[in-house]
């Protein structure tokens, strides 16, 4: 959780290492082309830091899908302007989602 401090870069490194090991193993078993990995967050985080230099709960999560047969390198939906003058900006760095989470299945 990111309520205090910012260790996000460390968590991304851990995730990347785990995915790399998993994908290497799946490929060694010849299963990569029939494998799809979907990652989803349970909630979004605010863009602005809170008083503890962490982030607070917000709307709009983040998701990614990878796999041997996935036609990737795409951003689904509309990537919003990430500033306070955006029509999707609420307050304290909270953004209104532009695309429902279910869209990864379409």
């Amino acid at each position: 959780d990111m309520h205090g401090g910012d260790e996000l870069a460390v968590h991304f490194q851990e995730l990347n290492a785990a995915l790399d090991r998993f994908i290497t193993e799946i490929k060694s078993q010849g299963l990569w082309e029939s494998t799809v990995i979907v990652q989803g967050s349970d909630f979004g985080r605010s863009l602005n830091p809170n008083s503890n230099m962490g982030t607070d709960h917000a709307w709009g999560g983040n998701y990614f899908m990878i796999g041997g047969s996935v036609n990737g390198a795409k951003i689904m939906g509309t990537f919003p302007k990430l500033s306070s003058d955006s029509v999707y900006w609420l307050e304290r760095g909270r953004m209104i989602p532009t695309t429902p989470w279910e869209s990864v299945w379409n």
Side-chain angles (χ1 to χ4, degrees):
D1 209 338
M2 302 290 296
H3 290 288
D6 183 3
E7 298 177 3
L8 188 58
V10 172
H11 295 310
F12 279 146
Q13 290 171 352
E14 293 169 353
L15 175 62
N16 286 341
L19 282 170
D20 185 54
R21 288 189 303 272
F22 180 76
I23 291 168
T24 298
E25 177 62 27
I26 291 297
K27 285 180 177 179
S28 76
Q29 294 182 30
L31 299 172
W32 180 239
E33 291 302 315
S34 60
T35 300
V36 175
I37 301 167
V38 177
Q39 175 278 334
S41 68
D42 56 346
F43 50 80
R45 303 304 295 183
S46 60
L47 299 177
N48 295 355
N50 61 22
S51 60
N52 294 324
M53 294 311 293
T55 57
D56 292 321
H57 294 246
W59 293 350
N62 53 74
Y63 310 89
F64 69 80
M65 179 185 296
I66 57 176
S69 296
V70 173
N71 183 10
K74 299 175 185 173
I75 293 178
M76 297 182 69
T78 303
F79 192 82
K81 180 178 177 184
L82 301 179
S83 67
S84 60
D85 61 341
S86 169
V87 296
Y88 299 105
W89 185 277
L90 294 178
E91 75 281 336
R92 296 186 49 223
R94 289 177 171 85
M95 302 292 291
I96 298 172
T98 62
T99 308
W101 76 269
E102 307 86 24
S103 65
V104 300
W105 306 117
N106 295 321

